[in-house]
Amino acid sequence: MEFDYLADLRDIRHRRDIENLELAKFFAEQRSKDPSTKSGAVIVRPDNTVASMGYNGFPSGMTDSHDRLHIREEKYERVVHCEMNAVITAREPLHGYTLYTWPFLTCHRCAVHMIQAGIKRVVAPKCPTDQAERWEKHFVRTREFYRECGVEFEEIEMYEDTI
C-alpha cells in the first residue's frame, strides 16, 4: 500500500476549510441582525489559528432599529460587511492569511480591500442558485480582481443547489 502524502495534505486542508466555513456561518447566525443576509468572516493565520472574525452589521454605537434593518436603502447606507469588520478588528497585519466567508464569496468592493490587506487565499461556499441572480455579477468581478492580484480563491460545494 502506497502512502499519498499530497492527497492526505489536500484532505486535511479541505477539512479545515469546511471547519472554518462552519465557524464563519456560526458567527454570522449568532451576531448578525440583518434580516435578509447573515454573513460572517473568519481570518486565519498560516498555522490555522483564528486571527479575527467579523459579521455584517452597523458601526459600533449606531442604533440598529427595525426601520434601519428592514428598509434596504437605510440598511445599505450603514452596514459594514463582515470581511471589513474582520479586517478592522484584527490586531495584527494580515499578509499571507486566509479569509473564510459565509454564505458566499466576497463582493467586489470587499475584494479590493482584502487584496490591499494582504489576504492571499479566500474560501467561500458556492453561491446557492436562489441567490445567483442577485449576486453573480459581483462575484464575476470579485474573481477577476483575485485572479489579477494573485489571490487564490476556492468556492466549495456546501449547498445542495448551487450555480
Side-chain angles (χ1 to χ4, degrees):
M1 179 177 207
E2 191 174 312
F3 179 68
D4 188 348
Y5 180 73
L6 290 178
D8 192 44
L9 286 178
R10 282 189 297 271
D11 186 49
I12 291 169
R13 183 176 180 175
H14 181 73
R15 283 194 315 249
R16 286 183 176 166
D17 287 347
I18 298 296
E19 288 170 0
N20 287 320
L21 286 173
E22 291 290 343
L23 182 58
K25 177 183 177 184
F26 177 79
F27 199 60
E29 290 172 348
Q30 296 299 310
R31 298 290 178 94
S32 175
K33 295 178 183 174
D34 189 325
S36 62
T37 306
K38 295 186 180 299
S39 61
V42 176
I43 298 176
V44 175
R45 299 178 188 94
D47 68 357
N48 203 48
T49 58
V50 174
S52 187
M53 296 170 65
Y55 59 93
N56 59 329
F58 294 166
S60 297
M62 187 173 283
T63 304
D64 48 3
S65 67
H66 183 273
D67 283 349
R68 287 181 175 177
L69 287 167
H70 288 83
I71 299 172
R72 199 171 287 263
E73 296 78 27
E74 291 291 321
K75 178 175 72 172
Y76 285 172
E77 288 178 355
R78 292 170 172 81
V79 74
V80 179
H81 288 191
C82 64
E83 304 91 337
M84 290 303 299
N85 267 324
V87 168
I88 291 166
T89 60
R91 300 290 186 233
E92 61 195 83
L94 304 173
H95 299 282
Y97 288 20
T98 298
L99 169 70
Y100 294 89
T101 60
W102 184 269
F104 35 62
L105 195 59
T106 60
C107 72
H108 64 289
R109 291 304 309 146
C110 285
V112 297
H113 295 290
M114 298 307 105
I115 293 164
Q116 192 67 10
I119 297 294
K120 288 298 176 197
R121 182 168 181 257
V122 177
V123 181
K126 286 185 180 178
C127 185
T129 305
D130 67 335
Q131 298 285 322
E133 184 177 326
R134 181 176 176 195
W135 296 106
E136 186 57 27
K137 70 179 180 181
H138 297 285
F139 299 151
V140 168
R141 296 292 288 164
T142 295
R143 293 179 194 110
E144 289 173 5
F145 295 165
Y146 286 152
R147 281 188 196 102
E148 181 178 343
C149 296
V151 175
E152 178 186 347
F153 65 92
E154 185 173 355
E155 295 172 89
I156 295 177
E157 201 77 47
M158 299 274 297
Y159 304 103
E160 290 183 24
D161 187 22
T162 56
I163 57 173

